């Protein structure tokens, strides 16, 4: 059940923030309703009243984060397509930096969640939706650029898949391996190889 | 301890193959010395004699796989740099396909291992070494291409980091999310944006 059905958004927003902090601080393996309750300074009973399980709470958190992502970029329609594209890729590289936790902590936890996704249909559907939201933002910016004549006539979907993959792969290399500087390398190479070609 | 110290390479090779099958079939979470013994049709005692723990065996397996990777590409010196580069990226996309298991099963298990790497120094060091072997192969091919005048004068390290990140990210999207076709999109975009520019 959703907290919004019960007492408006305040408790829901509070629990989402606490869940985000808990996920960033402890990772997926040690994430629990008990820790979220402690982080929110609420009773375990309250958290259990709103969420049936750890997975239920994580699902709500993923939905919450994608709404946050969408609203962050909803106002960018007036920006040039290349700036919109850069802003989304910057987000993929360095993350939300929400509520006092840096993006690396979030993406490290997200990597753990993704490792469960092949075995968990519900989780995979949600993570896919979030991934598609990011890819679609990039594809939309590229499509606008092509339609406006600002970009070369590239395939928006394919180019978006490529760019998001490159930044996603570079970030995950840095967060899970000893590979400092890979994000900077990927972003610089994107300027060199893709944006220089893309922008006529 | 290594099996090679004890009875030549035969038992070691047999256990590596069994460990590879077990990792591909069960993933990291359900990997165990008991399952490897069953797969190898050997006693648990024999496996324990050669390997102290699950982590010890996985470490040997990762070392074994990187030697396999190196030997696969060691004979490619006569190929054109662009072909060497394509072959390594194809390997990153579709994997080793070793001993009757497809690359997707291997890379899905590897994703789980990487999710543990931020919390396990030894594992991270080994996975980093394997990752660097792949990146260095790409960088070497690019450097040779630049030196021979076949490629534009791009930065070999940066370009390699970018290309490996793109294919790694695309493959992991396909294996952990519902994102079919992302690898093909990334490889096609690499031809379009990078190789078309690279090859003079």
């Amino acid at each position: 059940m959703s907290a919004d059905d019960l007492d408006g958004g305040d408790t829901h927003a509070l629990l989402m923030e606490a869940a985000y902090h808990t996920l960033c601080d402890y990772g997926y393996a040690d994430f629990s309703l008990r820790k979220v309750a402690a982080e929110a300074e609420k009773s375990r009973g309250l958290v259990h009243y709103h969420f049936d399980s750890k997975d239920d709470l994580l699902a709500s958190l993923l939905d919450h984060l994608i709404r946050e992502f969408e609203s962050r970029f909803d106002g960018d329609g007036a920006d040039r397509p290349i700036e919109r594209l850069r802003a989304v890729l910057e987000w993929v590289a360095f993350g939300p930096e929400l509520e006092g936790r840096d993006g690396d902590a979030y993406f490290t936890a997200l990597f753990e969640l993704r490792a469960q996704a092949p075995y968990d249909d519900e989780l995979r559907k949600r993570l896919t939706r979030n991934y598609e939201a990011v890819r679609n933002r990039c594809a939309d910016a590229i499509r606008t650029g092509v339609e406006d004549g600002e970009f070369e006539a590239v395939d928006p979907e394919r180019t978006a898949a490529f760019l998001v993959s490159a930044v996603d792969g570079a970030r995950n290399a840095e967060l899970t391996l000893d590979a400092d500087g890979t994000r900077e390398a990927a972003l610089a190479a994107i300027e060199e190889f893709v944006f220089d070609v893309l922008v006529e």
Side-chain angles (χ1 to χ4, degrees), chain A:
Chain A
M1 90 188 78
S2 154
D4 298 304
D5 305 333
L6 297 162
D7 58 359
D10 284 358
T11 302
H12 188 70
L14 178 75
L15 293 179
M16 288 298 100
E17 184 176 336
Y20 181 74
H21 284 179
T22 304
L23 185 66
C24 290
D25 293 350
Y26 294 97
Y28 170 72
D30 293 323
F31 183 90
S32 69
L33 296 188
R34 189 179 56 72
K35 286 205 180 82
V36 174
E39 175 72 32
E41 299 184 343
K42 295 288 179 190
S43 72
R44 247 173 109 169
L46 179 96
V47 179
H48 275 288
Y49 180 74
H50 289 284
F51 299 100
D52 292 335
S53 64
K54 162 179 171 167
D55 287 343
D56 187 28
L57 177 47
L58 278 171
S60 283
L61 176 60
L62 290 172
D63 290 347
H64 172 77
L65 290 169
I66 204 60
R67 285 195 297 272
E68 196 278 335
F69 170 82
E70 295 286 6
S71 69
R72 171 174 300 218
F73 290 102
D74 268 345
D76 71 356
D79 298 340
R80 289 179 55 209
I82 189 73
E83 295 311 326
R84 289 167 58 193
L85 197 48
R86 276 200 188 102
V88 178
L89 294 178
E90 191 86 3
W91 187 96
V92 176
F94 300 104
E97 292 189 50
L98 276 180
E99 334 266 15
R101 294 298 185 281
D102 74 11
D104 284 3
Y106 168 66
F107 280 126
T108 302
L110 197 68
F111 196 94
E112 285 181 80
L113 276 173
R114 277 184 63 183
Q116 309 302 317
Y119 316 104
D120 182 334
D121 289 347
E122 272 308 308
L123 177 62
R124 193 174 63 253
K125 266 188 225 162
R126 271 212 164 66
L127 290 172
T128 298
R129 211 150 63 204
N130 291 22
Y131 167 77
E132 284 174 350
V134 173
R135 242 171 92 156
N136 290 341
R137 282 270 157 187
C138 286
D140 285 349
I142 296 169
R143 193 174 302 108
T144 304
V146 171
E147 285 169 3
D148 293 357
E150 284 203 42
F151 289 174
E152 291 283 341
V154 299
D155 180 326
E157 302 298 334
R158 188 166 93 177
T159 307
F162 172 49
L163 295 176
V164 171
S165 293
V167 181
D168 198 61
R171 185 200 64 225
N172 286 338
E174 275 197 49
L175 297 185
T176 62
L177 306 171
D178 297 318
D180 285 353
T182 307
R183 277 180 283 203
E184 292 299 344
L187 292 171
I190 285 172
E191 294 287 337
E192 178 187 3
F193 286 104
V194 183
F195 292 169
D196 266 16
V197 170
L198 206 60
V199 181
E200 287 182 315

